[in-house]
Amino acid sequence: MGSKRLTCTPAILLAATFAFTAMAHGAPDVGHVPELAITVAKASGKPAVTLAVTSPAFKDGDSIPLDHTQYGANRFPGLRWSPGPRGTVSYVVIVQGDPRAGGRTAATSIHFTAINLPADATSLPAGIGVLPAGASYGPNVHGPGQGYAGPHTHTAAPQPYHFQVFALDTRLAANPSTLDAAVAQMQGHVLASGDLVGISSKPAGETYAKAVPTETGLVTGMPGRDPAVMVYRGIPYAAPPVGALRWRPPAPAVAWQGVRKADRFGHACPQPADADAGAAAQGMNEDCLTLNIWSAAESGGEPRPVLVWIYPGGFLTGSGSSALFDGEGLARKGVVVVTFNYRLGVLGFLSTPELSAEGGRESGHRASGNYGLLDDIAVLQWVRRNIAAFGGDPQRVTIAGESAGAGSVGFLAVSPLATGLFRHAVAESHARDPRDPELRYLSVSYRRLKQAEEAGARFVEARGTRDLAALRAMPWQQVIDGSNTVDQGVDTLSTAKPPLFRPVLDGWVLPRTYGETLAAGTQNKVVFVAGSNRDETGAVPDTAFAALRARTGPPRAGSPQVNVTLEAFRQGAHAKFGALANEFLRLYPAGNDDEAALASSEAARDNSRISTWSWGREWAKGSGQPVYTYFWNHAPPGPDAPARGAYHGSEINYVLGNLYATDRPWTDEDRRIADTMSSYWANIVKTGNPNGAGLPRWPAHDAGTPSVMRLGEGWGMMPVATPERTDFWLRFFATQVPW
């Protein structure tokens, strides 16, 4: 902004009294006074020495960068001064605006007061928050005891701001409530003083006025489809996990200068060649630890609750930039929505003895394999520190996710490292009784540390080395090659197998099994919402039987076979249920292939609903918080509806209220369902209770009544299964070792 230098000649007066202007109701305005301190502070019997005052951010008489104003990041610009003369006991720093220099009669504005800085101090660093021991903040325009409040001029006319430093032969009484009280104590004790003048004016454009400060710099977003919603894309929440940071806990993000345009999504984290189309289109790179925010919060308004959404993909694929997870729908309903990327596959979940030993040396925890979960926790910590600037309430955070995202929710809900970072948890699919064998391959499956280390060692040995430096120098494309594989060592009592790279029971991030956690009641004390879909985890729509039987090939990771024949159904029942197999076949009878497929789907749905209800009983015992369970039964429209039905993940567009984000032939009925579902989810985020005006009542989980809330079609409570089938599944679970 360059302006002719404006100076103020220091005049040491014999006496000074600050007459404060009155605020409403007669209270003193601690942020404004008539005079500059340097013109009224009395010297100690002889003319004061002049201190040379400089700043690394600007030169005397030049413009103060916007980063150091309230239009920008409001960061203290940093200050240096020459040492005071012999006898200096303490320093006082006072920053004041002087609008009178513009020809107006007005009080000066106080922007920073720091007293009792030590005698050996000759600087204050940029962005200072905590003063040296013994020093304290005085008053400014934000009130008593406040830190730096940068210039916030209300006119385009340049205004001078004085960065004043005083060397005193005494210390002042701590925590002065008004500037005149501080200056009155300074009278007769000033040994030296200096003044640096910076110039500031209101920015010509609104870029800085709309910029949002984060701990690493300013960001600007873009309006969404609804201009009332601002979208911020690709904000780094951690340093790129490359080189020496590969397979280490996330490090702090790197700060930037100026304003970062958060107008495009960050890279997707590296994943196999069959990654989802969204990740492939966005481009993959290890520099991928970024997050995205949707907010319609108004400046100065009531802070809004926050939803942190964790994407699915079997811990192997996916990204937070997928259109399916667009947050504008819920933002319009009063929620601040956050999506993000976390490390996947071998880069996110590799465990080896060498990595565990390194963890023991560096953090005191001999653990490895949960880098993706540590990314989740880093996001929640970032939200805690930064989301208020986007209109979010850091004390009202909900985590939610589907499939592997639901698995992450489950892991975070039992991790002591996530304690206090969220109030509510939503797991869309896969919350199960700890004794349910389905846990062994679904997204909530984990590995024990020893087995994970052994499998990881074999994997890296196939790449020619177990040396960590060599592995960290290896191109990520070479590291992930062949990582899309299943863990054949897990007995799931079916053909389904979990992915090899998944979370680890490491004694640190995950210290206990599900069963041990629930038995000890050590889970995080949060409201929990969990449910399943009609056509997932082995269940398929009736219209898909023939087409599925014609399909060949090995089972996909995390999914049982669905090409059911009568013979396969009977063989599978004996393999899974053993002595209970005949009872199972009586409860789910079949005489031909179609009947076997129908019975298989009925059994899968019963298993899912009963298991989630049984899990809810145990969760509520130790959490002391409400639990809500659901069963989603609506099939999205489209040519694939007969084959897929209410498929795994089909609820996402509806709960996020973003039908606009997916190209399907949506009907008015779909829009009504989406409005109801997204209202439920918005209420969960806001209060922990899905219920609200105009919504079908959704009762909390009842440990004495095996029932579940039906969502999508035929809203209302339904039995999880017939009493006889419910009894069978609970007895079967009791025969299994807790997972």
Side-chain angles (χ1 to χ4, degrees):
M1 284 184 293
S3 174
K4 184 178 179 180
R5 181 183 175 191
L6 298 175
T7 62
C8 176
T9 303
I12 308 301
L13 305 181
L14 295 178
T17 302
F18 276 42
F20 280 81
T21 58
M23 295 176 66
H25 309 296
D29 181 355
V30 299
H32 300 86
V33 295
E35 302 289 341
L36 290 168
I38 203 163
T39 68
V40 297
K42 186 178 179 182
S44 57
K46 58 182 178 180
V49 175
T50 299
L51 298 175
V53 183
T54 62
S55 173
F58 62 94
K59 295 181 179 179
D60 190 30
D62 284 353
S63 298
I64 301 171
L66 287 174
D67 274 2
H68 306 296
T69 75
Q70 292 187 58
Y71 286 105
N74 198 35
R75 297 177 69 247
F76 185 74
L79 208 61
R80 304 180 184 124
W81 56 88
S82 56
R86 183 186 299 274
T88 297
V89 173
S90 71
Y91 292 95
V92 171
V93 175
I94 300 172
V95 179
Q96 286 176 267
D98 186 11
R100 295 169 305 151
R104 295 179 294 128
T105 301
T108 62
S109 53
I110 312 164
H111 294 268
F112 182 85
T113 305
I115 69 168
N116 294 331
L117 297 169
D120 59 353
T122 56
S123 66
L124 289 176
I128 187 169
V130 179
L131 293 173
S136 63
Y137 288 116
N140 64 28
V141 292
H142 287 174
Q146 298 296 310
Y148 179 67
H152 190 248
T153 53
H154 301 289
T155 173
Q159 302 294 335
Y161 288 82
H162 297 257
F163 290 73
Q164 307 156 96
V165 182
F166 302 87
L168 307 182
D169 63 5
T170 187
R171 288 177 57 85
L172 306 184
N175 304 316
S177 60
T178 60
L179 187 62
D180 64 340
V183 174
Q185 294 181 59
M186 292 165 57
Q187 301 304 332
H189 297 286
V190 179
L191 298 178
S193 62
D195 185 19
L196 171 69
V197 178
I199 305 301
S200 185
S201 60
K202 185 176 182 179
E206 291 298 315
T207 300
Y208 274 85
K210 293 180 180 178
V212 178
T214 73
E215 61 192 3
T216 45
L218 291 165
V219 297
T220 54
M222 298 288 289
R225 294 171 177 82
D226 182 342
V229 178
M230 290 298 294
V231 187
Y232 305 84
R233 301 180 176 94
I235 302 174
Y237 68 86
V242 299
L245 295 182
R246 183 187 282 176
W247 297 308
R248 277 192 166 99
V254 179
W256 57 85
Q257 296 296 315
V259 179
R260 182 188 186 104
K261 290 185 178 180
D263 58 353
R264 60 183 64 185
F265 291 114
H267 296 292
C269 290
Q271 46 200 276
D274 58 352
D276 66 26
Q282 194 60 36
M284 291 181 281
N285 193 294
E286 277 189 278
D287 182 1
C288 63
L289 300 186
T290 60
L291 55 80
N292 319 295
I293 300 171
W294 287 259
S295 176
E298 297 179 1
S299 177
E302 181 74 18
R304 299 189 175 193
V306 180
L307 172 68
V308 177
W309 172 265
I310 310 174
Y311 57 81
F315 296 111
L316 193 66
T317 67
S319 76
S321 62
S322 171
L324 182 59
F325 315 135
D326 186 280
E328 185 172 318
L330 282 184
R332 290 199 297 261
K333 293 195 172 187
V335 173
V336 175
V337 179
V338 178
T339 68
F340 66 97
N341 295 337
Y342 59 92
R343 283 173 283 182
L344 297 162
V346 62
L347 293 173
F349 298 96
L350 176 68
S351 177
T352 70
E354 293 78 15
L355 284 170
S356 295
E358 180 182 78
R361 292 191 301 271
E362 295 182 352
S363 69
H365 301 281
R366 192 194 179 284
S368 61
N370 284 323
Y371 308 104
L373 292 182
L374 288 169
D375 291 345
D376 297 347
I377 293 168
V379 168
L380 293 175
Q381 292 169 334
W382 188 97
V383 167
R384 173 63 61 90
R385 298 189 302 266
N386 294 275
I387 203 64
F390 299 87
D393 186 345
Q395 301 302 320
R396 289 195 293 163
V397 175
T398 297
I399 59 172
E402 189 270 343
S403 193
S408 295
V409 168
F411 291 126
L412 294 173
V414 300
S415 174
L417 301 190
T419 301
L421 295 177
F422 59 96
R423 286 189 177 183
H424 317 133
V426 182
E428 298 173 24
S429 299
H430 302 171
R432 297 296 182 104
D433 184 296
R435 294 177 182 267
D436 187 346
E438 301 287 301
L439 283 177
R440 303 176 191 177
Y441 72 84
L442 294 175
S443 62
V444 281
S445 176
Y446 57 77
R447 301 166 290 165
R448 293 185 180 273
L449 182 60
K450 185 175 184 296
Q451 286 76 20
E453 289 176 341
E454 292 172 349
R458 291 191 295 270
F459 184 87
V460 298
E461 282 170 355
R463 274 131 194 84
T465 182
R466 286 174 61 168
D467 177 71
L468 293 181
L471 287 168
R472 285 174 170 139
M474 193 176 291
W476 64 258
Q477 294 88 342
Q478 184 177 345
V479 174
I480 72 170
D481 184 40
S483 62
N484 187 5
T485 185
V486 299
D487 189 343
Q488 295 288 357
V490 180
D491 181 10
T492 65
L493 303 187
S494 73
T495 57
K497 298 294 181 183
L500 176 61
F501 294 108
R502 61 194 193 281
V504 178
L505 196 69
D506 63 352
W508 177 39
V509 181
L510 300 176
R512 291 184 173 97
T513 68
Y514 293 119
E516 291 167 348
T517 299
L518 293 177
T522 56
Q523 68 266 46
N524 289 315
K525 314 308 182 191
V526 297
V527 176
F528 214 120
V529 180
S532 59
N533 294 3
R534 186 186 65 198
D535 299 312
E536 67 178 5
T537 321
V540 297
D542 301 355
T543 48
F545 293 163
L548 290 171
R549 273 198 299 273
R551 194 175 70 184
T552 59
R556 295 182 297 112
S559 180
Q561 291 286 60
V562 291
N563 49 341
V564 179
T565 64
L566 178 60
E567 182 61 25
F569 178 63
R570 289 174 173 170
Q571 289 180 357
H574 283 282
K576 181 171 184 174
F577 299 107
L580 295 175
N582 289 334
E583 183 178 0
F584 171 83
L585 292 171
R586 178 179 63 79
L587 291 171
Y588 298 94
N592 56 46
D593 288 348
D594 279 348
E595 289 178 355
L598 181 63
S600 177
S601 289
E602 287 182 359
R605 292 168 187 143
D606 287 352
N607 181 4
S608 181
R609 290 189 298 255
I610 294 166
S611 187
T612 300
W613 173 79
S614 180
W615 159 86
R617 291 187 303 176
E618 300 306 312
W619 180 270
K621 287 179 185 177
S623 74
Q625 297 292 323
V627 170
Y628 295 88
T629 61
Y630 71 86
F631 181 66
W632 167 254
N633 65 354
H634 177 69
D640 59 349
R644 302 185 69 191
Y647 56 85
H648 187 56
S650 60
E651 82 289 355
I652 295 175
N653 278 130
Y654 297 87
V655 301
L656 296 181
N658 64 10
L659 300 187
Y660 56 79
T662 301
D663 185 17
R664 285 186 175 273
W666 304 113
T667 66
D668 288 343
E669 178 63 13
D670 289 300
R671 285 182 275 275
R672 284 191 291 270
I673 293 173
D675 183 53
T676 298
M677 291 292 286
S678 60
S679 293
Y680 276 140
W681 259 244
N683 290 341
I684 291 164
V685 178
K686 293 173 182 177
T687 68
N689 187 328
N691 293 291
L695 298 175
R697 182 173 175 271
W698 182 348
H701 177 276
D702 183 347
T705 304
S707 59
V708 64
M709 180 69 178
R710 183 191 295 111
L711 299 180
E713 298 175 7
W715 312 86
M717 297 300 288
M718 62 174 286
V720 294
T722 65
E724 191 175 14
R725 289 179 175 181
T726 300
D727 176 69
F728 168 81
W729 284 102
L730 294 178
R731 284 188 288 110
F732 169 63
F733 295 158
T735 68
Q736 301 299 304
V737 175
W739 189 253

